[in-house]
């Protein structure tokens, strides 16, 4: 069992930055791929970014490439999402998730555990 708790969301003006954190419980954190998804009101949950268990591979949704950076610290059981040059369309609840899948972890069905999410609001 893995429990995930996100933090770092908030209200920011367009062009600003936020750093999200996701703290995981358990001693097996380093064996999971970790991902960030987001869900805006009235929309489906969408993939944002993921990082392999070792940190050696990362994946990004096209609209966030060059603006967002995912990283992890396995010693601290934490994954981060640095978000720069934020846009109003980035407004959503951001959710952290853990995956044991052998497949590239870019879809919701490849994830085993989910956090509750943290709200990110970008004003224009």
């Amino acid at each position: 069992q893995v429990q995930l708790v996100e933090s770092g969301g908030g209200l920011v003006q367009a062009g600003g930055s936020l750093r999200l954190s996701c703290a995981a419980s358990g001693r097996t954190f380093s064996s999971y791929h970790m991902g960030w998804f987001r869900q805006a009101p009235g929309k489906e949950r969408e993939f944002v970014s993921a990082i392999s268990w070792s940190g050696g591979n990362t994946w990004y949704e096209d609209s966030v490439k060059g603006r967002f950076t995912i990283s992890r610290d396995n010693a601290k059981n934490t994954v981060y999402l640095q978000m720069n040059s934020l846009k109003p369309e980035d407004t959503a609840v951001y959710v952290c998730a853990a995956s044991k899948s052998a497949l590239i972890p870019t879809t919701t069905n490849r994830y085993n555990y989910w956090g509750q999410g943290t709200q990110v609001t970008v004003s224009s």
Side-chain angles (χ1 to χ4, degrees):
Q1 187 79 7
V2 176
Q3 292 184 324
L4 305 171
V5 179
E6 302 94 337
S7 61
L11 173 63
V12 64
Q13 289 187 333
S17 299
L18 283 174
R19 188 195 197 201
L20 305 184
S21 299
C22 173
S25 66
R27 285 178 271 182
T28 59
F29 173 77
S30 60
S31 67
Y32 286 85
H33 304 313
M34 298 298 297
W36 287 96
F37 290 76
R38 64 188 180 187
Q39 188 164 17
K43 294 187 177 181
E44 293 189 354
R45 185 169 290 183
E46 66 171 0
F47 170 75
V48 176
S49 182
I51 187 167
S52 61
W53 64 270
S54 67
N57 290 291
T58 57
W59 300 270
Y60 296 94
E61 193 269 330
D62 285 347
S63 70
V64 307
K65 284 180 181 176
R67 300 189 298 123
F68 291 10
T69 303
I70 191 170
S71 61
R72 67 188 297 161
D73 185 338
N74 285 345
K76 294 183 178 180
N77 280 15
T78 302
V79 61
Y80 305 97
L81 185 67
Q82 177 68 44
M83 306 187 295
N84 298 329
S85 302
L86 283 161
K87 304 175 181 180
E89 51 263 43
D90 294 318
T91 295
V93 174
Y94 284 70
V95 184
C96 170
S99 170
K100 272 285 194 179
S101 176
L103 303 174
I104 294 175
T106 56
T107 57
T108 58
N109 62 349
R110 294 173 184 173
Y111 283 82
N112 305 93
Y113 301 102
W114 295 85
Q116 293 298 309
T118 185
Q119 176 70 47
V120 171
T121 303
V122 184
S123 63
S124 56

